[in-house]
Amino acid sequence: MHFTQREQQALRDAGVDQDTIEAASDAVVEATDDAAAALEAFFHGRETVYSDMDIAHSSSEIQEHTVEYCDLFTHADDIRGYLRFDTWGVPVEGGRVLSEEKVELSLGPTVHGRVRFAADEDAL
């Protein structure tokens, strides 16, 4: 179940029946799975992507990355995983598709921030 016990109780107190709560929970899980698949598909088969990542010692606002892979998994409404570039990688802690040519990921340590990735520099 996606919703916590407190959220479920609040929904029941507001008059939402258990079948509706379960259907809403299932819809959240399905939407999260679809989003993770779309994010992986964005990186799959792309050798190079561009980002607005803030990188130390770089004077450019746009960074170029050689992508090895993006491997994501889901749990309820969480998207987690790993994005591997040619020489380094970073944990993924969430994300969303912005368009066919642009996505946004929440990256964990060492980046600790939201980063937009695009297939082409002009999309950023």
Side-chain angles (χ1 to χ4, degrees):
M1 174 72 63
H2 162 69
F3 300 110
T4 67
Q5 292 297 321
R6 286 186 293 278
E7 291 168 333
Q8 289 179 54
Q9 187 58 53
L11 289 166
R12 282 192 295 275
D13 291 348
V16 180
D17 66 71
Q18 188 62 34
D19 289 341
T20 303
I21 293 171
E22 289 176 16
S25 177
D26 291 345
V28 169
V29 170
E30 184 176 337
T32 303
D33 289 344
D34 291 348
L39 290 167
E40 283 184 331
F42 173 82
F43 289 99
H44 183 74
R46 290 191 202 274
E47 186 174 312
T48 303
V49 295
Y50 301 90
S51 79
D52 63 357
M53 187 182 305
D54 186 21
I55 294 183
H57 311 294
S58 174
S59 60
S60 177
E61 291 184 22
I62 297 177
Q63 309 304 323
E64 183 176 317
H65 309 278
T66 301
V67 177
E68 292 292 319
Y69 63 86
C70 180
D71 184 24
L72 303 175
F73 63 92
T74 64
H75 177 73
D77 68 339
D78 287 335
I79 297 174
R80 304 274 182 192
Y82 201 74
L83 177 57
R84 175 74 183 163
F85 301 113
D86 57 344
T87 60
W88 66 288
V90 62
V92 175
E93 298 179 346
R96 62 190 179 135
V97 174
L98 300 174
S99 70
E100 285 186 27
E101 296 299 314
K102 187 168 44 175
V103 299
E104 182 178 68
L105 298 178
S106 294
L107 302 178
T110 56
V111 175
H112 295 291
R114 295 182 75 79
V115 177
R116 291 179 302 148
F117 292 91
D120 151 320
E121 290 181 70
D122 294 333
L124 291 174

